């Protein structure tokens, strides 16, 4: 289990390879990568976080996933700071004996990271800056778990 | 003494990321009432509590939670991770 909160970019290929080779007993690895969507006019995405609570909250979410599903391993990397459109913001990877658990756990991690990990996104456009508002649908998504 | 932290637009509205306060507040709601009374920028930041979340010692909490033994209170908008 690995949780990393960092401003530096990560090497997706190297991370997936290291995670896969380290996941003993896994028959399935699922990965998800979140990318700054290159929306029209968007020049940058600034991600603020709450150092200390962020690592704690993400670790708690990963531990919960490990309790609920039969996982060989799980990984979360989430960046903060100023990112450009097209850059990777975060990734999750889950490894399990069978794909059902790996897919479900990856979705669970994403749903919880979305509204329970203390990150806040601010978009910069030519006209100025706006904080991204949380969506009701994101909160609603937690109910299915 | 209690450390009070602000994030995202709450930080911008109040104009600082954190401060250390001496407070007699018993609950988070009491602390908010005291903060609102300080200055207009606090009143503006705490105008709509439905737009705010609170964490006590880095755990998500609620506005009616007691502050006894708490060292760090953080106020922020709903989170937008992922």
């Amino acid at each position: 289990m690995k949780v990393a909160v960092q401003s530096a970019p990560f090497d997706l290929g190297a991370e997936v390879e290291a995670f896969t080779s380290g996941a003993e007993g896994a028959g399935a690895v699922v990965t998800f990568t979140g990318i700054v969507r290159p929306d029209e006019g968007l020049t940058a995405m600034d991600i603020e976080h709450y150092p200390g609570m962020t690592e704690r909250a993400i670790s708690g979410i990963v531990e919960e996933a490990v309790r609920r599903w039969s996982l060989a391993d799980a990984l979360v990397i989430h960046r903060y700071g100023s990112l450009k459109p097209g850059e990777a913001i975060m990734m999750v990877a889950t490894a399990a004996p069978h794909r059902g658990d790996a897919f479900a756990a990856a979705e669970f991690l994403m749903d919880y990271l979305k509204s329970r990990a203390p990150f806040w996104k601010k978009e910069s456009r030519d006209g100025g800056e706006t904080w991204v508002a949380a969506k009701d649908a994101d909160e609603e998504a937690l109910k299915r778990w | 003494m209690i450390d009070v932290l602000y994030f995202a637009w709450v930080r911008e509205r109040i104009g600082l990321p954190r401060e250390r306060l001496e407070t007699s507040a018993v609950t988070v709601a009491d602390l908010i009432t005291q903060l609102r009374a300080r200055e207009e920028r606090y009143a503006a930041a705490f105008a709509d509590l439905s737009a705010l979340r609170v964490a006590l010692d880095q755990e998500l909490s609620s506005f009616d939670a007691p502050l006894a033994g708490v060292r760090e209170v953080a106020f922020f908008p709903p989170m937008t991770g992922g």
Side-chain angles (χ1 to χ4, degrees), chain A residues 50-131:
Chain A
Y50 182 171
M53 180 175 169
T54 311
E55 291 80 356
R56 224 167 125 158
I58 297 175
S59 297
I61 294 166
V62 174
E63 281 160 20
E64 181 62 25
V66 169
R67 266 194 295 277
R68 290 191 189 204
W69 291 278
S70 166
L71 297 182
D73 203 2
L75 160 75
V76 176
I77 301 176
H78 203 303
R79 295 177 63 194
Y80 59 88
S82 186
L83 279 71
K84 296 272 173 266
E87 273 193 77
I89 303 176
M90 54 88 63
M91 69 169 289
V92 305
T94 53
H98 302 283
R99 73 174 188 276
D101 280 352
F103 273 119
E107 284 224 76
F108 170 88
L109 289 174
M110 284 315 304
D111 281 351
Y112 270 84
L113 288 169
K114 204 92 205 153
S115 36
R116 290 292 182 275
F119 290 98
W120 300 277
K121 296 189 183 117
K122 187 200 240 176
E123 294 178 341
S124 294
R125 289 163 196 279
D126 290 342
E129 301 175 333
T130 13
W131 288 100

Side-chain angles (χ1 to χ4, degrees), chain A residues 48-53 56 78 89-90 113-122 131-134, chain B residues 5-9 11-12 53 55-60 72-74 76-82:
Chain A
E48 181 172 335
H49 80 117
Y50 182 171
M53 180 175 169
R56 224 167 125 158
H78 203 303
I89 303 176
M90 54 88 63
L113 288 169
K114 204 92 205 153
S115 36
R116 290 292 182 275
F119 290 98
W120 300 277
K121 296 189 183 117
K122 187 200 240 176
W131 288 100
V132 175
Chain B
L5 282 65
Y6 310 109
F7 291 96
W9 59 255
R11 170 179 55 73
E12 289 180 341
R53 299 290 179 269
L56 300 181
D57 288 331
Q58 306 188 353
E59 292 280 353
L60 209 54
E72 188 172 292
V73 181
F76 42 77
M79 298 165 261
T80 52

